[in-house]
Amino acid sequence: DAGVIQSPRHEVTEMGQEVTLRCKPISGHNSLFWYRQTMMRGLELLIYFNNNVPIDDSGMPEDRFSAKMPNASFSTLKIQPSEPRDSAVYFCASTPTAAKNIQYFGAGTRLSVL
Amino acid sequence: DAKTTQPPSMDCAEGRAANLPCNHSTISGNEYVYWYRQIHSQGPQYIIHGLKNNETNEMASLIITEDRKSSTLILPHATLRDTAVYYCIVRMHGSSNTGKLIFGQGTTLQVKP
């Protein structure tokens, strides 16, 4: 398996623009997680899905952030409008249902909002 | 979730064993100890986990004290590629668990030639 695939690897955009990050989980994994990592706040969970259903989005910073999982093999994290403080590395992770703490992370998307 | 405490940084000579400590004095009976690491510019990587017995896999060994209040991750023969931030996380195990991992600041391990 190719592992968790995230795209793009790098994104540079201007303040106010819409940004969409994409994630393809490992085939057969039932749970998917979106994390954000910054120097100030470290690695923090934004939202997670179980069987394509959002379970806990308490980590989503504000209404400008939204996430979807239309099917078991694809998820998006959207920021609209983007702000400079959204600059961070965004990671996606997936896991089989029975071992939720053993998560497999993608390589991340480095977002820079100018 | 039980809180964990790790030293912010450690050095290790290449080829020697790296012993990374973690304190989790408030751990409860059904909580496991998990270790992840994050190599620069990569996503976190699962290493090993355990409940109360010592565990070993191809990457590392995990030693948990008898009272379970602390543990040590051992990389038996550290290489330069083991330079990374190592995270110790305590969580319940199983399908009823949400999988909501909380990553602290971790220990930055620098392996030196």
Side-chain angles (χ1 to χ4, degrees), chain A residues 11-103:
Chain A
E11 177 80 34
V12 180
T13 190
E14 293 187 348
M15 182 174 64
Q17 297 298 306
E18 177 179 298
V19 175
T20 300
L21 311 181
R22 297 173 175 80
C23 175
K24 176 179 169 55
I26 293 173
S27 177
H29 284 191
N30 304 94
S31 297
L32 182 141
F33 305 80
W34 281 101
Y35 292 83
R36 178 174 68 176
Q37 186 170 36
T38 62
M39 288 294 292
M40 291 295 295
R41 300 175 66 89
L43 192 63
E44 52 183 349
L45 179 67
L46 299 178
I47 185 171
Y48 78 92
F49 295 82
N50 195 35
N51 293 323
N52 311 337
V53 176
I55 302 300
D56 184 350
D57 64 355
S58 60
M60 295 285 262
E62 49 198 272
D63 292 345
R64 297 185 297 105
F65 285 69
S66 62
K68 295 182 179 180
M69 192 164 186
N71 57 62
S73 59
F74 184 66
S75 177
T76 60
L77 178 67
K78 184 176 295 186
I79 308 172
Q80 166 64 20
S82 59
E83 297 182 2
R85 59 188 168 134
D86 301 331
S87 297
V89 181
Y90 291 81
F91 290 103
C92 174
S94 71
T95 185
T97 301
K100 289 195 171 109
N101 295 331
I102 301 176
Q103 299 180 9

Side-chain angles (χ1 to χ4, degrees), chain B residues 18-70:
Chain B
N19 298 285
L20 294 97
C22 179
N23 286 322
H24 32 78
S25 58
T26 60
I27 192 171
S28 61
N30 59 354
E31 288 182 315
Y32 285 66
V33 180
Y34 291 81
W35 283 84
Y36 279 76
R37 74 178 181 183
Q38 186 174 20
I39 296 171
H40 182 62
S41 297
Q42 297 183 22
Q45 177 190 24
Y46 164 79
I47 301 173
I48 198 169
H49 75 280
L51 181 63
K52 53 184 177 181
N53 296 322
N54 297 338
E55 302 287 344
T56 296
N57 63 20
E58 65 279 3
M59 290 183 68
S61 295
L62 174 60
I63 309 298
I64 302 174
T65 58
E66 191 169 344
D67 62 8
R68 303 211 319 124
K69 293 185 177 181
S70 65

